[in-house]
Amino acid sequence: MSLHDRFFRPSDVVADLQWVRARLLDPAAPADERSHGRVTSGDLLRRWSGSGRRPDRGGIFCQKIFGPLNDLRCACGSVSGAEHEGTTCERCGVLCTTADVRRQRHGHIEVAGVLHPALAPLVAQALGLSVEQVRAVARCQAWLDGDTCHSVPEDESCDDLDTTGPAALVAALVRVGADPALVDLAILRAIPVPPPGLRPFVADLGPAMVDPWIGPLNEAWRTFVLAANQQLRLLEIGVPPIIEMHGQRRVQERFEALVQWTASPPAFRRPWPEPAPLAQPVRLMGPPARLRDDVGTEVVGLVFVDDERLFVQRPHGSWLVTTAGDVLARFPFCGRIATSVHGSRLRMSAWIGNEWDWFDQDEYWDAKSGRASLAVLDLATGEYLDTYPADLPQRHLEHDQPEDLVVSGVAGDPVSGALRWGGDRPAVLATTRDGRYAWVGEQESTAVLDLDTGVPQLDPVMESHADDEAPVVSLSSDPPDVRDEASAGEMATALGLTPQQRFRFLHGTGVVSDGEQRWFRVDASILAAAFSPAAERLAIAADDEIVIIAVSDPPAIIGRFAAPNDG
């Protein structure tokens, strides 16, 4: 049996775990029976400009630990070729060998102490307890008083930490004269990390996916590393018992889940199901009856309806214009910003400010009762629809609480899913024209998500700091400096998708990128922005002007005109 099977699927539990313990940290053990380094980082993949992603040093895909991604080439490229096979690079520490070693080489994670779930029945038998009681003690959810097991009330701690956790189980085993081998294995402090080849990425799940998705198993390993590192740090600085107990509970629970998932990987399923057809028509709130007094007059929304037409929004009205600035039609205000285009219909899911500020209190609840907080404008008729069209996207993002960004159906049904949104109070930064992909997060912790499948397309999006060597597009002779993060939070962003299924980003700092490389920077205070259908042009509202920029090398201003206004 391999190291992987002996630890995660042991047949003779004590003998197999003894075998793993003896070899895991033994440098003289065969290469496929020992660890090649400690996994210390919760980071997964680091983006390198122009060359995709590389495993982070010390992470669960680390090339120094698990071997090179490319045959006979170290991570930095200093050592490559068959003549250097078997040589370890002095710069990056990666062995020059074939990439198939990534299916054989293990790493390990250091923990303060966990109980292997396969040992719980043996420990329970030796102590005269149930398996559930043993696992509860290992998680610090119960404590031992002699032969008696007591539950620990939620958010409380034991008076004596020696009576709970794996150490308490060891003491109890010694007291009853249990098998020394069992006593020795009751606390594990080095956990083998399976080779990356046995933890494959989940790829090709979305047409615009920039990188393979790491999948739930790799995400579980990442969070276990973070929890283990945090626990060791808390013990190092000396924390109150209740915090120490919570740290042990978190590590033990995540370890048990890892063992189960690694032993029997679950069949892949999407984080949330495919959108279901609407069972019945969903009524819409429609536009508010009055205009807010403090809403302002600046441009708040901009979207390409098609290659030749733009939809421009101010709080008091909206206009359909050509890309040359000719006004084609005017529409009444609705309090919302257009977020996606569907033929001649515009879906509007984002309010200008707080939605309840557009209504009197009783009027607001009457308007919202039994209705979806969305608006749909039909450009052909100039009217806002009363019910939601069944052929429009069924998912949208909204804040359930100030800090909770959730996915909901248009009928108000929440959609469950385990995804990392990033940041403390994440927001929807932008969506693609079809409303399928959303750029979400906070500050530099952002991701692009497929709202139909829940699969991250790019996670995280590259940082948006301006590159002083990149071209600059200035929209005035005396442009403001908007590169700092404080200014970025007040500026519009945009997300585009090319026919080749590549993303284009306008960051809040004015930087335009493809998520991998910074292309140029727009030096202006951007009120609203939108990419064209093929993302080869970028329209920007700055002051009272609409400027159209060619997303090319070099970038160029190809059109500008005054933003429409009733005045």
Side-chain angles (χ1 to χ4, degrees), residues 26 57 75 163 205 215 222 225 287 364:
D26 182 3
R57 182 183 293 270
T163 63
L205 289 177
R222 185 192 77 88
V225 174
Y364 170 72

Side-chain angles (χ1 to χ4, degrees), residues 546-563:
I546 307 296
V547 181
I548 301 177
I549 302 171
V551 182
S552 57
D553 186 15
I557 295 176
I558 57 176
R560 57 196 312 168
F561 55 87

Side-chain angles (χ1 to χ4, degrees), residues 70-306:
N70 303 305
D71 285 341
L72 303 176
R73 187 182 187 277
C74 70
C76 67
S78 299
V79 178
S80 62
E83 66 274 17
H84 297 292
E85 184 172 4
T87 302
T88 299
C89 177
E90 295 182 356
R91 292 180 59 186
C92 64
V94 175
L95 178 68
C96 179
T97 185
T98 57
D100 59 9
V101 300
R102 294 179 68 82
R103 297 188 60 85
Q104 304 165 5
R105 291 172 57 137
H106 290 73
H108 74 277
I109 299 170
E110 291 185 6
V111 295
V114 290
L115 174 71
H116 196 294
L119 289 174
L122 301 179
V123 174
Q125 183 179 7
L127 298 180
L129 302 174
S130 69
V131 174
E132 290 73 18
Q133 287 175 321
V134 169
R135 288 178 174 171
V137 174
R139 298 171 185 165
C140 291
Q141 293 175 313
W143 58 283
L144 295 174
D145 180 11
D147 296 331
T148 306
C149 181
H150 303 275
S151 296
V152 177
E154 189 71 22
D155 295 329
E156 292 188 17
S157 61
C158 300
D159 295 331
D160 185 0
L161 278 174
D162 292 336
T163 63
T164 189
L169 293 174
V170 169
L173 289 171
V174 171
R175 187 178 66 252
V176 300
D179 181 357
L182 180 60
V183 175
D184 183 53
L185 293 170
I187 296 182
L188 298 178
R189 292 189 170 88
I191 308 303
V193 181
L198 303 182
R199 299 179 278 107
F201 288 173
V202 180
D204 301 326
L205 289 177
M209 184 172 287
V210 177
D211 295 295
W213 187 33
I214 64 168
L217 179 58
N218 286 314
E219 176 67 13
W221 276 102
R222 185 192 77 88
T223 56
F224 178 62
V225 174
L226 295 175
N229 287 348
Q230 183 185 50
Q231 182 190 33
L232 292 174
R233 177 57 180 160
L234 291 176
L235 294 175
E236 179 183 335
I237 63 177
V239 293
I242 189 171
I243 297 178
E244 187 174 334
M245 288 175 59
H246 282 304
Q248 174 62 32
R249 180 180 307 175
R250 184 166 53 249
V251 169
Q252 181 68 37
E253 288 176 342
R254 292 182 179 178
F255 173 62
E256 291 173 4
L258 277 181
V259 173
Q260 180 179 356
W261 277 34
T262 306
S264 302
F268 174 75
R269 62 181 180 86
R270 298 179 186 276
W272 51 63
E274 294 286 342
L278 296 177
Q280 58 186 7
V282 176
R283 293 187 301 165
L284 300 174
M285 285 182 64
R290 64 181 179 86
L291 180 68
R292 283 175 47 191
D293 296 333
D294 60 346
V295 75
T297 61
E298 293 183 329
V299 173
V300 294
L302 193 63
V303 63
F304 273 91
V305 175
D306 51 38

